[in-house]
Amino acid sequence: MLGDIRVTFVGTGSTGDLARRCGATLVTMADGSHVLVDTGGGNETLIALETAQVDLTRIRAIVLTHQHLDHAAGLPFVLFALAIAAVRGKPVGDVHVCVPAAARVGLRAMCDTLFPGVNNPWWLAGRAVWHGCDPSDYLWRLELRDDGTAEVVADVASRVGHELGEGVVASIETMAVSHGAPPVATQAVRIETRRADGSACRIVISGDTGPN
């Protein structure tokens, strides 16, 4: 716990123990909404989130650090669970899927192949909003607002070092980092949000990375 901001380690990576590997982290903001960073390699993330009594419909963004199996293959399971919730009449808003730009086409094709019709009107109906994060100017940034909308910030430099704007629940910033061998497009993420008392809370997460 970081005041009323909660970070839940849904699991930790381990190449040697497949039964216990679940590389995902959940950040819960003061308003009860979530950002999920990485999705593990299958439905083990959903099982762990259910065990932690997490309301999936409050997930506003999913950030994948890179496209490797143990970090990204759980994404279709999470989207499927959200689609089932929507079909059952639960309130599911837009879910922003933030992935490295170089991996966007392949990861979306994976989801479309494993979950045909994911964006059909009777499933997510366009609620899955895909972003290819390209930190060509060092940082890429998405701001989540309290009215349920979100905005990709074009001029990131103008926001760095400043407090979150009025109505902004959280900002999600990604930056390119080095995965090492084998080379693959990889990003770290910094999530900034406010505690209930208005003070800032910043959380930085990366997966399988070293100094760039």
Side-chain angles (χ1 to χ4, degrees), residues 2 5-7 25-30 33-38 61-63 98 140-142 144 164 169-175 188-194 200-206:
L2 300 168
I5 309 303
R6 185 168 66 250
V7 179
T25 303
L26 188 80
V27 177
T28 304
M29 272 80 75
S33 62
H34 311 296
V35 175
L36 180 63
V37 180
D38 286 339
I62 301 170
V63 183
C98 310
W140 178 92
R141 180 177 174 119
L142 177 75
L144 305 177
L164 295 178
V169 174
S171 68
I172 297 170
E173 293 179 347
T174 66
M175 62 176 292
V189 57
R190 182 177 71 175
I191 300 165
E192 180 173 352
T193 186
R194 291 191 187 94
C201 180
R202 300 177 183 89
I203 298 150
V204 179
I205 303 169
S206 65

Side-chain angles (χ1 to χ4, degrees), residues 18-166:
L18 297 179
R20 299 178 61 189
R21 181 170 60 192
C22 176
T25 303
L26 188 80
V27 177
T28 304
M29 272 80 75
D31 68 351
S33 62
H34 311 296
V35 175
L36 180 63
V37 180
D38 286 339
T39 58
N43 67 351
E44 75 278 0
T45 296
L46 287 181
I47 294 170
L49 290 172
E50 181 177 350
T51 301
Q53 299 182 323
V54 171
D55 181 358
L56 296 179
T57 66
R58 300 301 308 277
I59 294 176
R60 293 197 58 185
I62 301 170
V63 183
L64 298 185
T65 58
H66 59 293
Q67 66 194 51
H68 282 168
L69 176 71
D70 54 334
H71 292 260
L75 179 58
F77 292 91
V78 176
L79 294 180
F80 182 72
L82 290 169
I84 290 294
V87 168
R88 291 175 176 171
K90 295 183 178 180
V92 177
D94 286 346
V95 179
H96 294 268
V97 183
C98 310
V99 305
R104 180 181 180 273
V105 172
L107 288 170
R108 183 159 188 173
M110 174 188 73
C111 291
D112 290 341
T113 299
L114 298 179
F115 182 8
V118 60
N119 276 313
N120 283 347
W122 54 89
W123 286 120
L124 281 178
R127 295 185 190 93
V129 182
W130 285 78
H131 301 280
C133 308
D134 182 9
S136 55
D137 192 23
Y138 187 64
L139 288 175
W140 178 92
R141 180 177 174 119
L142 177 75
E143 293 183 345
L144 305 177
R145 304 189 63 84
D146 57 10
D147 62 359
T149 63
E151 176 190 5
V152 175
V153 177
D155 184 12
V156 179
S158 68
R159 307 290 178 91
V160 173
H162 294 272
E163 294 183 359
L164 295 178
E166 184 70 27

